[in-house]
Amino acid sequence: MTLALRYAVRSDVGLLREGNEDSAYAGPYLLAIADGMGGHAAGEVASAVAISALAPLDADTTGVDMLQALADAVAQANVELREITQTDPATEGMGTTLTAMLWAGAQVALCHIGDSRAYVLRDGEFCQITHDHTLVQSLVDEGRLTREAAASHPQRSLVMRALQSSIPADPDLTMLQAQLGDRYLLCSDGLSDVVTDDTLHKTLQQVADLDAAVEQLIDLAIRSGGPDNITCVLADVVDSEAGPVAPSVQSVVVGALANGEGPPTLRSDSPAARAHLLTHGREHLASTGHDTGAGGRDDADDGDGQAAAGGSAGGIAADGSGPAQAGPDNALQAGPQQADDEADEDQDAVAGSGRRRWPVVTFILVILVAVVGAGGYYGWRVTQSQYFVGTADGRVAVFRGVNEPIAGISLFSVVQRTSIPVAAMPATEAESIRTTIPAASLAQARQIVLRLTRGYQCDLVQAAIGRWAANKPRLAASLAASQRGGRTKRLLPTDAAPRLPWYPPSPVLPSFCSALSGITW
């Protein structure tokens, strides 16, 4: 039994990106994917350089130290990136992820750096065989973050290790053992960030046809918003001698290295798919009557045309002879002039799509900002028409707004302060003030404060009257100190009547206070 590969590959620009910075390669001995980083700093150049450096390894690997060969190719790509940066300083900061698998029968050499991923589906079990070199993954490894929280972490795309021009690359190099029936998936984070591992597992297990599986994976990412470039390399390990299907023999390159993104196929009638077609200006595909994409292989395909997978995303044959087509029925090729014309049309369409896309996105963002801003301003105006009585620095005060903060922001302000200490108020009223007393208007709030002020003044006067009554001098209950013979001693008419010492008059209770009870003066 001789193990070989049957593969399909596809790259899609997604819904939001201006261009494709991913590059991928699939051949009989080599599977590789690179996700360029740097945006304007030439991420597509970095990914293309990485794949170009590895492509020569797609040859008979008998007797080859595959791990060393991968390490040497990565080092060569590192040197080329550095030379490009020295020649063109505008590319400073460019880099790329890289995940590659070099095959020799059942022996597989795996090279990985960055956050692109490799998975294997074996005997129904699906698992990731690479380790993300990201900040979030390091936090998960240290036990400081759960996998569930990592999936939505705002810094999940921050890569800690990558193939860059500024520093030597340090890839993970591992040997693996393949088995007949294995299915391997290499993908960029444009897929793994928006489609869960469970969904990937279900798709790869349920969709047997490689082309259809790749199409469905791309469609799942598009349906999830397609925020990034999406690239997939899918390969089955088959028996090249006695297997029911023949292995693939033609190498395919897609993405930035293929220098074109081609027409996207109509994957479904979902809103995301329709938006995708409109974005790229390819509405005519719906009426062509055939599919030139990853699923464009004739049923009669004997396997040699497997490389057509991904053709809709700019796939070209590794020998540069043009788009990799599937089956003998597609063997005819257009002349040079027709090819040039088609290339010019494709470039014009891509340029036009970029010009149309950004004004639409900008317009939508402006509308969203305006709606959110108007809603926020209206809500703030509504809160500023409400009032309540509460405490400020331990004293009664009138507030405008609402007493409940929103998103940690206080929506009230003091409009009137008083000198009434809350601690001096009766317990019932003090508690009401601490929990705030709502008012429909500023006038009503001031009426509440006026009532509280008068009550406080009455309490002060009543307390003063109580003290005055308690301290007022009084005559003796009887002027007789003793009795004799049952007769009471009387004052002579000539004796002077006793007088009390001078004492201030009683405080006057305001007219708005109720009369006190239990107090005499």
Side-chain angles (χ1 to χ4, degrees):
M1 179 178 65
T2 302
L3 299 183
L5 295 175
R6 183 175 176 85
Y7 44 77
V9 56
R10 167 150 187 162
S11 186
D12 195 292
V13 71
L15 297 180
L16 299 183
R17 296 295 187 183
E18 184 72 14
N20 198 344
E21 295 187 343
D22 291 355
S23 293
Y25 182 100
Y29 300 94
L30 177 69
L31 306 176
I33 187 170
D35 181 357
M37 302 177 298
H40 65 280
E44 71 280 0
V45 174
S47 69
V49 167
I51 297 300
S52 296
L54 265 69
L57 301 181
D58 187 24
D60 188 359
T61 52
T62 303
V64 175
D65 184 344
M66 294 188 293
L67 288 181
Q68 188 60 50
L70 288 171
D72 292 344
V74 170
Q76 178 61 32
N78 215 163
V79 172
E80 293 183 17
L81 291 177
R82 188 177 303 112
E83 291 176 351
I84 293 173
T85 300
Q86 291 172 351
T87 303
D88 184 4
T91 62
E92 180 69 34
M94 71 175 174
T96 183
T97 69
L98 178 64
T99 301
M101 304 180 76
L102 188 59
W103 297 74
Q107 298 295 315
V108 185
L110 174 63
C111 174
H112 171 70
I113 185 169
D115 65 346
S116 295
R117 290 183 177 180
Y119 297 89
V120 62
L121 176 63
R122 174 179 294 173
D123 298 328
E125 297 294 326
F126 183 73
C127 65
Q128 181 180 341
I129 57 177
T130 54
H131 194 74
D132 294 349
H133 298 148
T134 60
L135 172 64
V136 168
Q137 183 61 52
S138 67
L139 296 177
V140 173
D141 296 340
E142 296 169 4
R144 297 166 58 187
L145 195 67
T146 65
R147 290 189 179 276
E148 293 72 17
S152 58
H153 196 281
Q155 299 297 329
R156 62 184 180 277
S157 297
L158 182 59
V159 177
M160 305 296 289
R161 287 163 59 186
L163 177 56
Q164 298 176 268
S165 60
S166 55
I167 57 176
D170 181 23
D172 294 338
L173 297 168
T174 311
M175 287 300 299
L176 304 174
Q177 188 77 16
Q179 296 182 10
L180 180 65
D182 284 354
R183 172 167 282 192
Y184 290 88
L185 170 65
L186 278 64
C187 66
S188 62
D189 62 349
L191 176 68
S192 58
D193 272 0
V194 297
V195 181
T196 65
D197 286 0
D198 289 341
T199 303
L200 295 178
H201 181 191
K202 181 179 178 181
T203 302
L204 297 187
Q205 191 165 26
Q206 293 182 350
V207 184
D209 183 75
L210 287 168
D211 297 318
V214 169
E215 281 293 314
Q216 187 162 332
L217 292 176
I218 296 292
D219 190 45
L220 286 170
I222 293 295
R223 286 174 178 268
S224 298
D228 201 354
N229 304 146
I230 312 153
T231 303
C232 305
V233 179
L234 188 61
D236 285 344
V237 179
V238 300
D239 186 348
S240 62
E241 297 175 351
V245 292
S248 302
V249 296
Q250 187 174 14
S251 301
V252 181
V253 179
V254 299
L257 185 56
N259 193 27
E261 293 153 358
T265 57
L266 183 59
R267 293 173 289 275
S268 70
D269 194 34
S270 67
R274 291 196 297 270
H276 186 62
L277 291 176
L278 290 173
T279 301
H280 289 77
R282 304 292 199 216
E283 296 88 339
H284 66 278
L285 280 179
S287 60
T288 58
H290 67 278
D291 185 0
T292 61
R297 188 162 49 108
D298 287 342
D299 293 337
D301 182 14
D302 61 358
D304 293 345
Q306 180 69 21
S312 65
I316 62 172
D319 60 6
S321 61
Q325 301 295 334
D329 293 341
N330 296 325
L332 296 179
Q333 298 182 1
Q337 182 61 43
Q338 180 180 353
D340 292 342
D341 293 342
E342 291 177 353
D344 292 340
E345 291 176 1
D346 285 346
Q347 292 177 0
D348 292 342
V350 171
S353 68
R355 289 191 296 269
R356 289 191 296 271
R357 184 184 309 137
W358 283 109
V360 172
V361 173
T362 303
F363 176 77
I364 293 174
L365 290 177
V366 169
I367 293 298
L368 287 176
V369 170
V371 170
V372 172
Y377 177 77
Y378 176 78
W380 179 81
R381 290 292 300 173
V382 169
T383 63
Q384 298 308 296
S385 65
Q386 303 180 44
Y387 297 85
F388 64 91
V389 177
T391 62
D393 300 326
R395 299 182 181 276
V396 178
V398 176
F399 296 84
R400 178 169 57 189
V402 293
N403 193 32
E404 295 296 332
I406 298 178
I409 302 175
S410 297
L411 300 178
F412 60 84
S413 59
V414 178
V415 295
Q416 179 180 338
R417 297 178 181 271
T418 71
S419 60
I420 307 173
V422 177
M425 303 294 292
T428 302
E429 291 188 341
E431 181 62 23
S432 298
I433 295 171
R434 291 190 181 96
T435 57
T436 72
I437 304 173
S441 63
L442 179 60
Q444 185 180 12
R446 286 174 172 168
Q447 285 293 330
I448 295 173
V449 170
L450 178 60
R451 180 179 60 81
L452 294 174
T453 301
R454 289 181 172 180
Y456 176 65
Q457 292 174 349
C458 290
D459 290 342
L460 292 179
V461 174
Q462 288 173 348
I465 291 174
R467 291 192 298 273
W468 179 88
N471 297 323
K472 178 181 178 181
R474 300 178 183 278
L475 292 173
S478 176
L479 297 176
S482 64
Q483 294 181 348
R484 294 182 181 176
R487 293 184 298 173
T488 300
K489 185 175 180 180
R490 298 172 180 267
L491 292 175
L492 295 174
T494 56
D495 291 344
R499 295 185 180 180
L500 295 173
W502 182 87
Y503 193 67
S506 170
V508 178
L509 191 68
S511 60
F512 50 76
C513 297
S514 61
L516 297 176
S517 60
I519 301 294
T520 59
W521 57 84

